[in-house]
Amino acid sequence: MLHTLSGKGALTVTTALVACGFLFLTPQGQDLLRPTGGLVGQAPVSELDPIPEPPVEQPQQAAQPASPEPSDTIAVEPAPMIVVEEAESFAAGAEMDDARVTNQLAADAPMAELAPLAAQPPAAANRSLSSPVVGGIVADADMVVMQETNTESFANAAENPLRIVTEEPVSTFSIDVDTASYSVIRQSLNAGQLPPPAAVRIEEMINYFPYDYAAPEAGEAPFRPTVTVMETPWNADTQLLHIGIQGTLPALDDRPPLNLVFLIDTSGSMADANKLPLLKQSFRLMLDELRPEDQVAIVEYAGSSGLVLPATAASERSTILNALQSLGAGGSTNGQGGLEQAYAVAATMAEEGEVSRILLATDGDFNVGLSGTQELTDFIAKKRDTGAYLSVLGFGRGNLDDATMQALAQNGNGIAAYIDTLNEAQKVLVDQLTGALFPIAGDVKVQVEFNPAEIAEYRLIGYETRALRREDFNNDAVDAGELGAGHSVTAIYEITPVGSPAQLTEPLRYGAPEATESSTEPGELAFLRLRWKAPGEDDSQLLETPVLQGQSAPGTEAQFAAAIAGFGQLLKGDSYLGDWDWDQAIALAAENRGADEFGYRNEAVQLMRLAQSLSAN
């Protein structure tokens, strides 16, 4: 550090560090801290001397936030970050109250838990109210700021490998209708950065978009599969097996009553404009889509949890809005307490034939109670039998815990979405509300068996976190994804025909016996099986269909999905793409935008162009 500063600056910082060491590490220094309440170390708040009330007669102090009541329940935060400014005042022997030192906790610490601004000198207090905040720390132009560490984590797994059909002819996975990954990618690109590779889940990118697949007829299963085999855009010697599943959309009048519990994270980390304020705006949009017979309750959680609004008819819109507007950010993050109370409230609202859904809105930062992903997963798995679905809406970046959000949604029979703009809130909570909240099929599993006489190799593009074992397909006790009303799901395999020059592996000398011709139709490439349960049922049903060469010509929907699959692979730096590049991906997407009623596909093309520019830099 001393090599990067010189002259007066070096003396300033060095002297300040020595002074801070005296304050925090010696008994004399700690005694200086207690009477003023200006700097708080790691001692629990209840062990500090009482913070004096500011004199009423001083106008500057009367305008500052009031000191909190002492509480033994305030969580102890990590060691504070320090901003050092004009440290020469320490060297000159100035009194503590005259030193211009700002010491605030990390961004998730609420202002109510900090030492009151009134305890600072007027100039410092006014600066704290008007200066910008960097990493949770008040900053001036002449300050040296210690940046807060990015604590984001994403749920992903190693890329699906190439499989040899004679060795592993069967591929099994759970459907996924989550869209969080695409929104995170969009937010990163619009901020001028390529997304972290771990944030790229290709199946969520593909399934972000609505597709015009054929819907089931009356009396059929609640969904219909559409299978297409086409040439791979990035490799003319392989093919893409495109599977599209379209769920039925029941009439609005046939929709059962809905019980919604808004479980809202109001911890200190939710104070940013793109977190709690955006959350409130998003839920306002949703309220207009609810019917009078629907009910809403609100539970908040920070250091503890509390019922903000008991079960209230959706028609009482002003009451619900006032309860939402009353929420403020502050405290630690007791996600376990919030979840327990939300499930308890949902149980009191449930009636026969109704749908109960908990909507957890958070940045995913759980730091009190159960906080490990596996602990939370086990907790939600036990609650799943109550019949209440749990969906997760993510807000904000910097400490986004995508891994926790994915684990909660996948085990709670719900969806995971990331809301970065009000437009995204409109898409998730208005345009796709019915699909997001009303299930038509549960535990939906997909299994594809490839014919070794026709296909030499295959790889599933995406779905790494949704993989199932072959034996899980017939096991009704194994959880899988839910399909909502009107939702579509897309999966894509890249397959290599037998004898293709694109085959990457040598055939075994002692290979498996040839497939018997009597068991297959001419040109049969694979066999598709789908299992699902009707909502509330314990036993699954089975749908089967062969996959034939040339049975369906590739149209706009399959081609656009292939372009998005290429988009995701380019972001991850996939080696299977060869020389196929951004220009070709952009052209394929642009040519297959279709009607694009709400502009989602056009936005994807613009994001691809932006990613191309950022990749070049």
Side-chain angles (χ1 to χ4, degrees):
M1 178 179 71
L2 295 179
H3 289 292
T4 61
L5 298 173
S6 62
K8 182 178 178 182
L11 291 175
T12 297
V13 175
T14 305
T15 305
L17 292 175
V18 172
C20 291
F22 168 79
L23 291 173
F24 287 98
L25 302 178
T26 67
Q28 295 88 343
Q30 293 170 6
D31 288 339
L32 286 173
L33 300 181
R34 286 193 170 90
T36 64
L39 296 172
V40 181
Q42 294 200 32
V45 175
S46 60
E47 294 178 15
L48 299 177
D49 294 333
I51 300 173
E53 294 291 336
V56 177
E57 64 272 17
Q58 297 186 24
Q60 299 94 329
Q61 296 172 343
Q64 307 306 323
S67 303
E69 292 295 326
S71 172
D72 291 331
T73 62
I74 296 178
V76 179
E77 298 291 343
M81 296 180 179
I82 301 170
V83 177
V84 181
E85 179 191 10
E86 295 186 9
E88 291 91 337
S89 60
F90 286 104
E95 295 295 328
M96 277 296 301
D97 285 346
D98 294 330
R100 296 174 62 195
V101 177
T102 301
N103 181 14
Q104 293 188 1
L105 300 178
D108 61 349
M111 293 304 295
E113 291 180 20
L114 301 176
L117 291 174
Q120 303 178 20
N126 292 335
R127 183 176 67 250
S128 298
L129 290 174
S130 61
S131 300
V133 176
V134 180
I137 301 172
V138 178
D140 278 344
D142 56 349
M143 287 184 176
V144 178
V145 180
M146 298 173 66
Q147 295 285 351
E148 183 180 357
T149 302
N150 186 312
T151 60
E152 291 188 338
S153 63
F154 295 93
N156 219 323
E159 185 179 21
N160 284 326
L162 188 73
R163 308 285 185 180
I164 302 172
V165 175
T166 55
E167 298 175 2
E168 297 179 81
V170 178
S171 171
T172 309
F173 63 94
S174 162
I175 67 161
D176 186 6
V177 294
D178 295 343
T179 60
S181 179
Y182 182 84
S183 300
V184 169
I185 290 167
R186 177 180 59 207
Q187 194 279 334
S188 293
L189 293 174
N190 283 331
Q193 296 178 328
L194 290 171
V200 180
R201 292 188 291 272
I202 297 177
E203 72 279 5
E204 293 187 20
M205 297 177 66
I206 296 171
N207 287 318
Y208 179 84
F209 303 91
Y211 294 94
D212 188 21
Y213 300 141
E217 300 289 343
E220 293 184 344
F223 53 82
R224 170 184 284 185
T226 298
V227 181
T228 303
V229 180
M230 62 185 186
E231 183 179 294
T232 303
W234 49 84
N235 191 338
D237 295 317
T238 67
Q239 297 175 324
L240 293 185
L241 171 56
H242 174 278
I243 302 170
I245 300 173
Q246 179 62 54
T248 186
L249 182 63
L252 185 62
D253 292 341
D254 296 334
R255 201 179 76 181
L258 176 65
N259 299 315
L260 276 179
V261 179
F262 294 165
L263 175 56
I264 299 177
D265 181 353
T266 55
S267 63
S269 64
M270 292 291 290
D272 296 346
N274 61 352
K275 295 186 180 181
L276 187 58
L278 177 59
L279 183 159
K280 293 178 180 180
Q281 292 177 303
S282 301
F283 281 161
R284 285 177 67 99
L285 295 178
M286 181 183 185
L287 289 179
D288 289 336
E289 302 302 308
L290 302 181
R291 301 168 303 168
E293 59 265 34
D294 298 332
Q295 292 190 94
V296 173
I298 300 177
V299 175
E300 68 168 335
Y301 69 93
S304 58
S305 62
L307 181 63
V308 177
L309 181 73
T312 301
S315 57
E316 298 184 33
R317 191 172 185 274
S318 60
T319 301
I320 299 171
L321 287 176
N322 288 337
L324 273 175
Q325 199 58 37
S326 70
L327 299 175
S332 51
T333 319
N334 184 9
Q336 176 190 355
L339 286 166
E340 288 176 339
Q341 184 155 10
Y343 275 106
V345 171
T348 65
M349 300 167 67
E351 297 289 344
E352 186 69 28
E354 298 181 349
V355 172
S356 295
R357 178 80 72 172
I358 298 170
L359 288 184
L360 168 58
T362 179
D363 58 8
D365 187 16
F366 286 40
N367 55 35
V368 175
L370 297 180
S371 56
T373 301
Q374 188 58 52
E375 291 177 309
L376 288 165
T377 297
D378 294 342
F379 174 80
I380 295 301
K382 293 176 182 177
K383 294 293 186 180
R384 191 166 57 217
D385 295 336
T386 65
Y389 292 76
L390 173 67
S391 290
V392 184
L393 306 177
F395 290 83
R397 295 294 300 274
N399 61 334
L400 181 70
D401 192 342
D402 171 82
T404 296
M405 291 165 50
Q406 288 289 318
L408 293 174
Q410 289 187 12
N411 287 276
N413 285 344
I415 65 166
Y418 173 75
I419 295 181
D420 56 335
T421 65
L422 206 55
N423 285 336
E424 185 64 15
Q426 171 83 18
K427 176 179 182 291
V428 174
L429 298 177
V430 177
D431 299 339
Q432 298 177 350
L433 177 70
T434 299
L437 299 181
F438 294 94
I440 58 172
D443 290 340
V444 183
K445 304 171 187 175
V446 180
Q447 187 171 83
V448 179
E449 179 185 351
F450 291 94
N451 181 0
E454 298 283 348
I455 306 299
E457 300 164 340
Y458 68 90
R459 67 184 182 99
L460 176 60
I461 302 175
Y463 287 95
E464 284 85 359
T465 64
R466 293 287 190 163
L468 296 174
R469 298 174 300 177
R470 180 175 176 179
E471 60 267 30
D472 292 339
F473 183 75
N474 291 325
N475 186 350
D476 286 346
V478 174
D479 184 59
E482 318 306 306
L483 184 64
H487 259 167
S488 63
V489 180
T490 301
I492 299 176
Y493 287 90
E494 183 174 3
I495 57 178
T496 306
V498 170
S500 168
Q503 188 169 337
L504 297 178
T505 60
E506 290 293 328
L508 294 175
R509 179 180 177 88
Y510 308 105
E514 293 292 329
T516 57
E517 294 297 332
S518 61
S519 64
T520 63
E521 297 184 34
E524 184 175 316
L525 305 181
F527 199 71
L528 172 66
R529 299 180 179 92
L530 297 166
R531 277 202 178 275
W532 82 98
K533 298 174 185 174
E537 298 292 329
D538 295 326
D539 297 326
S540 66
Q541 303 180 53
L542 177 65
L543 186 153
E544 298 177 310
T545 183
V547 177
L548 304 177
Q549 183 73 54
Q551 71 181 61
S552 177
T556 295
E557 306 306 284
Q559 294 283 9
F560 183 80
I564 298 301
F567 180 17
Q569 291 174 95
L570 285 167
L571 288 174
K572 293 172 75 75
D574 198 316
S575 61
Y576 291 104
L577 296 181
D579 296 330
W580 199 72
D581 59 16
W582 286 106
D583 286 333
Q584 292 163 294
I586 292 167
L588 182 62
E591 292 166 3
N592 292 281
R593 283 175 287 188
D596 196 22
E597 182 179 3
F598 299 112
Y600 301 141
R601 298 188 181 188
N602 187 65
E603 179 191 55
V605 173
Q606 300 306 316
L607 290 176
M608 293 166 77
R609 296 178 65 236
L610 184 54
Q612 180 183 32
S613 298
L614 293 172
S615 298
N617 294 327

